[in-house]
Amino acid sequence: MFKKFTDLFKRGNLPDDTRTVPNWLRIKNAQFSGVDVSKNSVDEIVRLTSDEFNELVSSSDNGLLFTYLATLSKKELERFYDYNDRVVKLAEGAEISAREQFEGAMAGIDVKQITNEQRARATLEMPLMISFAKHIYHRITDFMEYARADYFDFENETFRMYEGHLSKIMWDEMKYIPNHFEQVIEYFQGFYDENNEEHKAFFAHLCQRFGLLIATLNRLVVMTENRDSSLNWFTGKMIEYELVGSAEISVSQSQTLTTDKKLINFLTLMFVGICDENEDNYLLNLINVVETLFEWYPVNRVACEYAMVEMMKSIALKEVNVENANAFLSFFEELPRFYEVLSFGKIMELKELVNQTMATYKPQDNEIFKSKEVKNKLILLNYFVDMEDLYYDAGKK
């Protein structure tokens, strides 16, 4: 029974509506009729490694997990307990086993108090949580390994600290560029001994990795604030040591690089666009920055979402050329690919951020979207009506 007329327009509510309704949308719309909890099993859970399962427990709503367990048959629940005995490893010093913890928790649950709606929701949401836990565990592990690859000497705690902070600013805290870059370089300036050959080798490494970006940030600070800074010191030393590279960076050349080098180049080109007051180049490279950051989403979720909002605000406030407008819409056309590896809560948070930014800044109202050379802005507007994944799925076919 529909509670209001607008419920008729929700995907899957009409008998002749054959469009796919993914689990996240059924949960959002409270479309729980037809969910068969009697078929629930632990097949997907028992395929998890111990680390993946611990990620599931730590990243999910435990109430959801216990509700799901409460829908299982005795046979399936016993399979779950056996899995905990055989596979799940607890932190050192744990006084009781994983099995005992879950058996104790389940014994304290009054299953009669769990509503049919709660059972149905847990049935729909559990596969999303399992997929998210597996994905985020391996992405975090892969990213940590990837991030270490370009370090000068990961075993040297001091060098690792300085290089790690600069890397973290780009991947996690990019809203604080250039301020945090300046702070890190200021500490490094106090530490640096130019008579120490190891220090000089490390400085040369930082120049090779971050030098052009630091020099560009220095230019920005001088232009906008007309003051000296640690960035200026670093740039001066680069010139003094003749460590300034002669090769120019470009968008096409940067696209061929590894993600880290690509991100540094696009950030550099973005700030060059700001310094040159070239809005086309600024927007082009801001979009490239966003796309590069999202290669590791949701590990670096904060930086990704900040950059995405800045991109949307910039599209709303600036004149936009056809190339940048199409690149902007292409990003949102592809964004629903993450729905396959996000939990329900994370999908809703991402969608809400997109919708709230559209409602506040209205990038969709930019005049460029009237051009016949630009993709249909329905790609963006579909987020308001929960149709964006259909557009993405259609593009894959």
Side-chain angles (χ1 to χ4, degrees):
M1 181 66 66
F2 300 139
K3 295 181 180 178
K4 51 190 176 182
F5 177 74
T6 52
D7 286 347
L8 289 171
F9 300 99
K10 292 178 180 178
R11 224 195 307 173
N13 271 352
L14 294 178
D16 60 349
D17 188 349
T18 59
R19 296 172 298 182
T20 301
V21 186
N23 281 11
W24 65 264
L25 187 53
R26 294 180 71 180
I27 298 167
K28 180 177 184 288
N29 291 339
Q31 295 167 313
F32 299 127
S33 62
V35 177
D36 186 357
V37 303
S38 68
K39 295 181 179 179
N40 286 351
S41 75
V42 292
D43 287 349
E44 293 302 318
I45 293 178
V46 299
R47 291 191 183 102
L48 300 175
T49 66
S50 177
D51 289 329
E52 290 169 343
F53 179 77
N54 285 329
E55 181 64 43
L56 172 66
V57 172
S58 65
S59 62
S60 66
D61 175 356
N62 284 175
L64 165 72
L65 176 58
F66 287 119
T67 299
Y68 183 80
L69 294 176
T71 70
L72 299 174
S73 66
K74 289 183 179 179
K75 179 181 178 182
E76 287 299 306
L77 195 56
E78 187 59 34
R79 283 182 67 203
F80 175 75
Y81 292 147
D82 286 345
Y83 161 78
N84 274 268
D85 267 342
R86 291 183 294 101
V87 177
V88 178
K89 299 180 179 66
L90 298 181
E92 190 175 341
E95 296 182 356
I96 60 175
S97 69
R99 178 183 183 126
E100 291 171 318
Q101 289 185 31
F102 277 106
E103 285 181 331
M106 290 299 294
I109 294 175
D110 184 354
V111 295
K112 294 179 181 179
Q113 297 297 314
I114 301 175
T115 67
N116 288 336
E117 183 174 300
Q118 289 171 326
R119 293 169 187 267
R121 174 171 177 150
T123 299
L124 293 173
E125 195 167 345
M126 201 62 207
L128 298 176
M129 283 306 313
I130 293 171
S131 178
F132 174 70
K134 287 195 295 187
H135 180 76
I136 194 66
Y137 170 74
H138 289 288
R139 290 302 277 171
I140 290 173
T141 303
D142 291 346
F143 183 76
M144 290 174 64
E145 185 176 331
Y146 171 81
R148 295 176 181 180
D150 288 329
Y151 276 51
F152 176 74
D153 181 358
F154 192 80
E155 301 305 317
N156 185 308
E157 185 177 350
T158 304
F159 292 164
R160 183 178 72 235
M161 177 187 67
Y162 288 117
E163 190 165 5
H165 279 309
L166 293 175
S167 184
K168 183 178 175 61
I169 293 165
M170 296 189 310
W171 286 105
D172 288 339
E173 304 167 350
M174 69 164 295
K175 68 184 293 184
Y176 300 113
I177 300 173
N179 291 347
H180 280 195
F181 256 78
E182 183 177 349
Q183 291 172 17
V184 173
I185 297 301
E186 185 174 344
Y187 282 114
F188 176 70
Q189 182 180 358
F191 158 80
Y192 180 67
D193 178 1
E194 61 184 345
N195 295 315
N196 185 306
E197 291 302 318
E198 192 175 24
H199 284 205
K200 291 184 73 172
F202 180 53
F203 183 89
H205 168 78
L206 293 181
C207 288
Q208 183 180 28
R209 188 174 177 195
F210 301 104
L212 284 176
L213 176 57
I214 291 172
T216 304
L217 296 177
N218 176 56
R219 179 186 171 197
L220 179 67
V221 169
V222 171
M223 284 180 59
T224 57
E225 302 178 40
N226 192 29
R227 64 176 176 83
D228 194 13
S229 71
S230 59
L231 302 173
N232 193 45
W233 168 82
F234 191 98
T235 304
K237 284 294 178 187
M238 253 198 323
I239 296 171
E240 179 185 338
Y241 296 158
E242 298 182 343
L243 294 172
V244 181
S246 57
E248 292 186 3
I249 58 175
S250 67
V251 171
S252 58
Q253 171 259 343
S254 299
Q255 293 283 14
T256 66
L257 303 175
T258 60
T259 308
D260 187 75
K261 293 181 175 68
K262 186 163 55 172
L263 178 60
I264 293 170
N265 278 13
F266 286 143
L267 281 170
T268 302
L269 291 169
M270 185 186 79
F271 282 108
V272 167
I274 294 174
C275 293
D276 291 345
E277 298 182 354
N278 187 322
E279 292 190 349
D280 287 343
N281 284 344
Y282 162 72
L283 270 176
L284 169 64
N285 288 292
L286 173 56
I287 294 168
N288 286 329
V289 164
V290 173
E291 291 177 340
T292 304
L293 285 169
F294 268 85
E295 290 183 22
W296 284 100
Y297 188 79
V299 175
N300 55 332
R301 181 182 166 210
V302 173
C304 285
E305 295 180 358
Y306 167 78
M308 181 184 72
V309 170
E310 288 301 303
M311 174 180 68
M312 295 175 75
K313 287 161 62 175
S314 295
I315 292 291
L317 298 171
K318 300 180 182 296
E319 288 189 17
V320 182
N321 63 29
V322 169
E323 179 187 2
N324 288 341
N326 280 325
F328 173 75
L329 288 176
S330 291
F331 170 80
F332 286 99
E333 189 174 8
E334 295 290 321
L335 189 61
R337 71 188 185 276
F338 290 107
Y339 295 1
E340 299 172 3
V341 293
L342 292 178
S343 66
F344 170 72
K346 293 291 187 286
I347 293 172
M348 290 300 103
E349 289 172 12
L350 180 58
K351 281 176 58 64
E352 177 60 25
L353 184 61
V354 172
N355 290 349
Q356 187 59 50
T357 307
M358 277 200 286
T360 303
Y361 296 100
K362 297 180 170 50
Q364 65 274 17
D365 290 347
N366 192 296
E367 289 294 312
I368 191 62
F369 296 120
K370 294 179 181 179
S371 170
K372 293 181 180 179
E373 298 178 75
V374 174
K375 291 185 175 189
N376 196 327
K377 72 176 181 180
L378 280 175
I379 292 170
L380 197 56
L381 295 176
N382 276 333
Y383 283 82
F384 280 136
V385 291
D386 299 326
M387 299 291 187
E388 69 275 12
D389 61 309
L390 285 177
Y391 213 104
Y392 169 65
D393 288 339
K396 291 194 297 183
K397 294 176 182 177

